[in-house]
């Protein structure tokens, strides 16, 4: 979690007054229905005038931002706005729910929104321009995440949303990842694969049920799950760590391609089916970003892959990091082949699986 995100949630937990009350942990929460809606769906409850104006534009740019590294245009979330006066019990039970209110509106819709805030909350909003967000889990349904965004004026709230765009996105992305992780690892985990990684490669990863080992050689291991909708792949490779320049994008692509050329094939009997990084699609470039990965410095790389004979292709996400004790640069990747299907949730699954990767000094963490 970034330092700015930590600050946001300190504000949420210590400054923001309760809107409708957090039922998480309450014994009555066991009686709540299960949250509804598909992965990546969201309802925003706000005034129609705000939705059509600058505030709505900021919200759309936040939640409908295009996901990078996918073959076709896909957004972070599928968003639907709901009139506060028409928010019934069914709509309240969705997994991701956002209430957006600016107090300078005098519309009937905003008056309805105010009913979700206590009088003391509204007074605090008027007096303190720094508070603008409150989050709640399991308010109307189990497995639900709610965010309240508010300010005294539409202009002020618009600026808050713009300034904190990444933090707002991260809150719901983390919620989606937690739900997905719970589902992925609900079935029996194949501990044999994790033991193999520790024994043969001095690293660890928790793979969900259904993944099978394809290749296991010195410096490289590949796991795969094939079903009717998708062909999902995870591989781990490594080499000696020599310098920081190995994290540069061109060097990471070269490392990836050198391994894929020897190990990753659509059909090993046909050498021209080996995998390459797609670097010639100008509107979908390979992108890299420095991140913190399980407490370690890492570089995330996203983009498209293809086979050399251009018979297959799809998205990938990978992470490069160093095991300093072993002096080893690891590159772990998930890539998917699912022609004609939306890819966002498949790639989210790859991210969740890769997040379980641990170097030798992180075993047990």
């Amino acid at each position: 979690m970034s330092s700015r995100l930590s600050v946001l949630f300190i504000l949420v937990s210590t400054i923001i007054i309760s809107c409708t009350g957090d039922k998480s942990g309450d014994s009555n929460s066991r009686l709540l229905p299960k949250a509804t809606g598909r992965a990546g769906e969201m309802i925003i409850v706000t005034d129609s005038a705000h939705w059509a104006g600058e505030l709505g534009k900021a919200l759309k740019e936040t939640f409908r931002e295009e996901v990078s590294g996918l073959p076709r245009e896909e957004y972070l979330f599928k968003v639907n706005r709901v009139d506060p006066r028409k928010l019934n019990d069914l709509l309240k039970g969705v997994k991701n729910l956002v209430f957006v209110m600016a107090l300078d509106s005098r519309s009937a819709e905003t008056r309805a929104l105010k009913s979700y805030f206590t009088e003391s909350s509204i007074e605090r909003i008027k007096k303190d321009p720094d508070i603008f967000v409150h989050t709640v889990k399991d308010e109307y349904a189990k497995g639900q995440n709610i965010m309240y965004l508010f300010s005294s004026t539409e202009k002020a709230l618009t600026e808050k949303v713009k300034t904190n765009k990444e933090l707002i996105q991260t809150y719901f992305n983390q919620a989606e990842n937690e739900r997905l992780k719970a589902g992925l690892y609900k079935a029996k985990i194949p501990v044999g694969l994790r033991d193999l990684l520790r024994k043969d490669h001095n690293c660890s990863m928790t793979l969900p049920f259904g993944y099978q080992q394809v290749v296991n050689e010195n410096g490289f291991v590949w796991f795969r799950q094939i079903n009717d909708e998708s062909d999902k792949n995870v591989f781990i490779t490594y080499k000696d760590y020599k310098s920081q320049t190995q994290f540069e994008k061109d060097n990471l692509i070269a490392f990836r391609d050198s391994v894929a050329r020897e190990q990753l094939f659509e059909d090993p009997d046909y050498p021209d089916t080996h995998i390459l990084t797609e670097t010639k699609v100008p509107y979908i470039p390979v992108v890299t970003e420095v991140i913190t990965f399980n407490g370690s410095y890492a570089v995330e790389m996203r983009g498209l892959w293809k086979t050399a004979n251009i018979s297959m292709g799809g998205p990938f996400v990978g992470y490069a990091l160093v095991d300093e004790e072993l002096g080893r640069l690891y590159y772990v990747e998930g890539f998917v082949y699912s022609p004609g299907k939306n890819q966002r949730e498949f790639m989210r699954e790859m991210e969740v699986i890769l997040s379980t990767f641990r170097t030798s000094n992180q075993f047990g963490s």
Side-chain angles (χ1 to χ4, degrees):
M1 182 181 291
S2 70
S3 59
R4 290 186 66 222
L5 186 59
S6 300
V7 170
L8 173 66
F9 286 103
I10 290 171
L11 288 171
V12 167
S13 61
T14 62
I15 297 179
I16 304 301
I17 55 329
S18 175
C19 294
T20 55
D22 186 349
K23 294 183 177 66
S24 58
D26 189 276
S27 59
N28 291 330
S29 67
R30 293 193 296 269
L31 304 177
L32 291 172
K34 188 176 180 180
T36 59
R38 296 180 180 180
E41 290 185 340
M42 172 180 292
I43 283 181
I44 296 182
V45 186
T46 193
D47 186 298
S48 57
H50 289 157
W51 188 245
E54 289 300 310
L55 177 54
K57 181 180 178 182
L59 292 167
K60 293 165 191 171
E61 289 176 350
T62 297
F63 295 116
R64 289 180 177 168
E65 182 173 85
E66 186 175 351
V67 179
S68 64
L70 299 184
R72 295 181 301 279
E73 185 179 69
E74 292 186 59
Y75 301 128
L76 281 176
F77 293 92
K78 180 182 178 181
V79 175
N80 290 298
R81 186 202 74 94
V82 170
D83 184 326
R85 297 166 298 182
K86 298 179 180 178
L87 185 64
N88 55 34
D89 289 342
L90 179 63
L91 294 174
K92 284 180 183 178
V94 298
K95 292 177 181 176
N96 301 308
L97 186 60
V98 184
F99 291 87
V100 182
M101 181 185 70
L103 293 178
D104 58 347
S105 170
R106 298 293 182 265
S107 71
E109 291 170 283
T110 296
R111 287 198 297 273
L113 260 175
K114 286 182 179 179
S115 67
Y116 292 93
F117 294 75
T118 65
E119 288 298 325
S120 61
S121 298
I122 292 173
E123 288 304 311
R124 283 289 301 276
I125 294 168
K126 291 178 180 177
K127 294 178 181 178
D128 191 342
D130 292 328
I131 61 173
F132 69 98
V133 61
H134 177 56
T135 59
V136 183
K137 291 185 177 181
D138 301 340
E139 178 73 18
Y140 303 109
K142 287 182 288 188
Q144 180 182 59
N145 287 76
I146 297 179
M147 178 175 283
Y148 296 85
L149 295 168
F150 44 80
S151 190
S152 293
T153 67
E154 178 182 4
K155 181 179 179 181
L157 185 53
T158 300
E159 289 305 311
K160 290 290 187 183
V161 171
K162 288 180 178 180
T163 302
N164 294 278
K165 174 182 175 180
E166 181 182 346
L167 307 182
I168 293 169
Q169 290 172 340
T170 299
Y171 173 76
F172 284 106
N173 273 327
Q174 288 182 344
E176 289 285 340
N177 288 353
E178 288 168 7
R179 295 186 194 109
L180 178 57
K181 188 172 186 177
L184 281 176
Y185 296 107
K186 189 175 182 179
K188 185 178 180 180
I189 296 171
V191 294
L193 299 182
R194 186 168 56 192
D195 293 343
L196 175 148
L197 287 173
R198 293 194 181 202
K199 177 178 177 292
D200 294 351
H201 303 284
N202 289 297
C203 63
S204 177
M205 180 183 288
T206 305
L207 289 141
F209 179 80
Y211 278 80
Q212 304 291 326
Q213 174 193 314
V214 182
V215 176
N216 181 30
E217 296 183 357
N218 184 39
F220 178 83
V221 60
W222 175 16
F223 304 101
R224 192 175 193 181
Q225 183 192 82
I226 303 176
N227 55 44
D228 292 339
E229 283 196 333
S230 62
D231 180 350
K232 292 176 282 193
N233 300 264
V234 173
F235 73 85
I236 301 169
T237 189
Y238 48 90
K239 62 181 179 179
D240 290 343
Y241 176 65
K242 297 181 179 179
S243 76
Q244 186 72 12
T245 61
Q246 290 173 279
F247 284 103
E248 294 175 2
K249 182 169 74 172
D250 288 346
N251 290 333
L252 285 178
I253 292 174
F255 178 33
R256 179 186 189 275
D257 285 351
S258 67
V259 171
R261 189 175 295 110
E262 299 295 326
Q263 300 285 7
L264 296 169
F265 294 86
E266 175 191 354
D267 186 339
D269 292 332
Y270 295 92
D272 65 346
T273 65
H274 73 82
I275 284 178
L276 290 171
T277 307
E278 175 60 87
T279 59
K280 297 180 180 179
V281 179
Y283 54 91
I284 311 177
V286 176
V287 294
T288 57
E289 180 183 4
V290 174
I291 63 167
T292 299
F293 185 89
N294 294 327
S296 298
Y297 174 92
V299 170
E300 177 188 86
M301 184 163 68
R302 293 177 181 271
L304 300 180
W305 63 270
K306 64 181 179 181
T307 52
N309 65 356
I310 319 180
S311 63
M312 298 175 65
F316 74 86
V317 58
Y319 302 94
L321 65 157
V322 172
D323 184 326
E324 294 183 359
E325 292 183 7
L326 297 178
R328 182 179 286 179
L329 175 73
Y330 279 96
Y331 178 73
V332 298
E333 178 180 305
F335 67 94
V336 173
Y337 177 62
S338 182
K341 300 286 196 307
N342 287 334
Q343 309 284 303
R344 182 191 64 198
E345 293 308 312
F346 290 138
M347 295 312 296
R348 187 186 296 280
E349 180 175 332
M350 294 296 100
E351 292 173 28
V352 169
I353 294 171
L354 297 178
S355 73
T356 68
F357 178 81
R358 299 290 187 274
T359 54
S360 61
N361 63 323
Q362 296 173 325
F363 289 168
S365 64

